[in-house]
């Protein structure tokens, strides 16, 4: 009878709000309860259920790195009731958080390898967690390449961090916007992510590739990586299926025998190839 | 091996009285407006006499249609969160069919395979099942095709089988023995235990292990969208299903506070998997129907070593467009690999 209520969120205080792009915000969240803060840890790749009390819960990744202690961050686009409720919040307001849930990016397995990050639009947040995690452990890895694309310049998220990565000598950052999305000041590339990756042609030798983006971007980028010689075992992505519980019960993220909330959200392409294409 | 007793019809009155005196609520099928549903009863006279199945399932006893998970009050800059304690009262569910009694195992598999669901567990802990073997069947029934049977004891704490003079009573579990102990004198040694002669005759309609084995290779078969052509996506099948566990979590709130609820949901709904972006991984009714079949007959066995179907046929009886699960499974079984 003393089992805890697994649906009960932690209360988190909004410590900082960053307006990333039109309709896109990042919240920095700190635990209201010190004991909860002490007992909390997570690994990169994991996600949570974020509450706007009054509106409900939504699923987002933890967009910050576990190497940055004392807070978590989430980045979301305002699209529905919950995200509108969250968007109404101000610094100091309270939101809820359940998690961390799901599996992790196995970064320890990547020691000594080259890392290629490929992200599109609002899907940079899950990779941003891994990118900072890896940059904070920079000597574990060889070359780090980041390809990031968005529809338009305004839609690029984490603009300050993009500048920082651009200036770092130990990061190769390539930013691109879809044709028509450029501004007169735009100095990055113009083009869709898949051909940009193809032109960049990162070496598959001793490399892993992480791909997060809208389904169409993933669908068109995977064949490019295959052509470049990346094996299905060396390509990672996250599935972003709709979820309600995050606990392997409510059923909606179920894809084949896999619960994305439990067995995912991180999958290699080799693992995805074993699942029905219902994602 | 279960202990076999006999129970006279008159003894049943006394058993109900003993259960009530022990502070237990008794739920049993009752007839109302031409159909049978589980309702609180006081005496065996209240129990429906002539039912094959209740229309709704007994899952509501452990997994209510709508259940509060938490509540909160809101004031500027502050949220006061209140944990919800499941309201579980000692309950005996009497007279449900063996198929339904066996369904609790499938629910338990999902609610506890990893994280443990305190709401479900609190109710299950307080629940005892006195099942009733089937002497009749109807065209929707197919328990014998999915590992059950009209006299299957799986999931019951006590299983009764009607006889000419009363009931054969199999006392199967500790919960069953605790009920027996409330009125041990009612449970007389069975002089003959010809249970099988009382049971409905229901030959298996298809070979379930063979079907489950070939489902992975049938994923892209046109069969699923053909079968689903008339499906209107109403979700009735999931709502009456004793094993369907998929749920939604919703908020009911105003400016001063609110509560978070979980409510039954259905994989048959378009919204079930719809992403915020508009992308939908299961964007046709055929894909959703396939998910229903695969979840129950392929993913459940792989994941939990149990089926997600007990062959009760409630979905078939409830379906407004006559989708017949048994016939569809028979049809799938006949597809050549």
């Amino acid at each position: 009878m003393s089992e805890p209520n697994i649906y009960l969120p932690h209360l988190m205080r909004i410590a900082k709000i960053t307006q990333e792009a039109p309709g896109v915000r990042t919240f920095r969240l700190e635990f209201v309860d010190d004991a909860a803060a002490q007992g909390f840890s997570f690994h990169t790749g994991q996600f949570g259920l974020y509450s706007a009390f009054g509106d409900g819960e939504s699923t987002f990744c933890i967009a910050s790195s576990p190497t940055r202690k004392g807070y978590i961050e989430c980045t979301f686009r305002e699209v529905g009731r919950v995200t509108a409720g969250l968007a109404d919040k101000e610094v100091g307001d309270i939101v809820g958080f359940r998690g961390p849930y799901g599996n992790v990016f196995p970064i320890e397995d990547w020691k000594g390898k080259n890392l290629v990050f490929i992200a599109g639009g609002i899907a940079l947040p899950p990779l941003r967690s891994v990118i900072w995690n890896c940059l904070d452990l920079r000597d574990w890895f060889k070359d780090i390449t980041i390809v990031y694309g968005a529809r338009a310049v305004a839609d690029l998220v984490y603009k300050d961090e993009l500048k920082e990565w651009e200036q770092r000598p130990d990061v190769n950052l390539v930013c691109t916007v879809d044709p028509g999305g450029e501004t007169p000041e735009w100095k990055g590339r113009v083009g869709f992510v898949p051909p940009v990756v193809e032109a960049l042609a990162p070496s598959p030798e001793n490399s892993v590739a992480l791909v997060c983006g809208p389904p169409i971007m993933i669908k068109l980028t995977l064949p490019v990586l295959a052509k470049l010689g990346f094996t299905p075992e060396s390509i990672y992505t996250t599935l972003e299926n709709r979820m309600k519980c995050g606990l392997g019960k409510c059923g909606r993220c179920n894809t084949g025998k896999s619960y994305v909330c439990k067995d995912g959200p991180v999958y290699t392409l080799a693992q995805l190839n074993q699942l029905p294409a219902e994602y | 091996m279960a202990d076999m007793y006999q129970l006279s019809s008159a003894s049943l009155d006394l058993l109900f009285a003993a259960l009530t005196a022990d502070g237990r609520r008794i739920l049993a099928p009752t007839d109302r407006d031409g159909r049978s549903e589980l309702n609180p009863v006081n005496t065996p006279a209240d129990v429906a006499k002539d039912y094959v199945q209740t229309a709704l399932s007994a899952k509501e006893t452990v997994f209510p249609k709508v259940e509060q998970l938490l509540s909160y009050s809101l004031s500027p800059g502050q949220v006061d969160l209140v944990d919800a304690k499941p309201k579980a009262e000692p309950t005996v569910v009497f007279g449900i069919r063996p198929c339904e009694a066996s369904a609790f195992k499938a629910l338990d598999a999902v609610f506890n395979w990893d994280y443990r669901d305190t709401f479900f567990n609190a109710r299950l802990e307080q629940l005892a099942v006195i099942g009733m073997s089937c002497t009749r069947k109807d065209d929707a029934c197919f328990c014998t095709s999915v590992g059950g049977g009209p006299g299957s004891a799986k999931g019951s704490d006590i299983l009764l089988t009607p006889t000419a003079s009363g009931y054969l009573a199999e006392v199967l579990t500790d919960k069953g023995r605790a009920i027996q102990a409330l009125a041990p004198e009612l449970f007389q040694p069975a002089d003959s235990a010809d249970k099988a002669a009382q049971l409905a005759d229901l030959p298996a309609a298809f070979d379930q292990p063979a079907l489950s084995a070939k489902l992975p290779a049938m994923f892209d078969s046109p069969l699923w969208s053909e079968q689903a052509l008339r499906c209107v996506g109403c979700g009735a099948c999931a709502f009456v299903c004793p094993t369907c566990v998929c749920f939604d979590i919703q908020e009911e709130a105003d400016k001063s506070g609110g509560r978070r609820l979980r409510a039954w949901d259905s994989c048959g709904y378009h919204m079930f998997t719809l992403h915020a972006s508009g992308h939908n991984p299961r964007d046709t009714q055929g894909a959703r129907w396939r998910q229903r079949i695969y979840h129950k007959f392929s993913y459940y066995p792989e994941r939990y070593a149990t089926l997600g179907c007990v062959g009760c046929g409630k979905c078939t009886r409830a379906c407004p467009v006559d989708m017949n699960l048994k016939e569809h499974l028979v049809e799938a079984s006949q597809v050549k690999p």
Side-chain angles (χ1 to χ4, degrees), chain A residues 147 174 189-190 192-203 224 227-228:
Chain A
V147 179
V174 176
R189 309 214 182 174
V190 176
F192 296 105
V193 167
V196 168
V197 173
E198 189 162 10
L200 189 68
S203 165
V224 169
K227 200 169 146 192
L228 290 171

Side-chain angles (χ1 to χ4, degrees), chain A residues 158-177:
Chain A
Y158 308 130
K159 291 185 179 69
D160 290 344
E161 289 161 61
L162 293 176
K163 274 183 207 142
E164 193 178 335
W165 296 341
E166 182 151 44
Q167 285 160 9
R168 280 180 73 136
D170 58 353
V171 175
N172 176 22
L173 176 72
V174 176
C175 280
T176 183
V177 294

Side-chain angles (χ1 to χ4, degrees), chain B residues 20-44:
Chain B
T20 305
D22 192 46
R24 303 190 196 212
R25 177 178 66 141
I26 306 172
L27 298 176
T30 63
D31 283 329
R32 190 150 64 192
D33 301 332
R35 61 179 213 173
S36 302
E37 295 300 357
L38 288 182
N39 278 302
V41 298
N42 296 313
T43 75

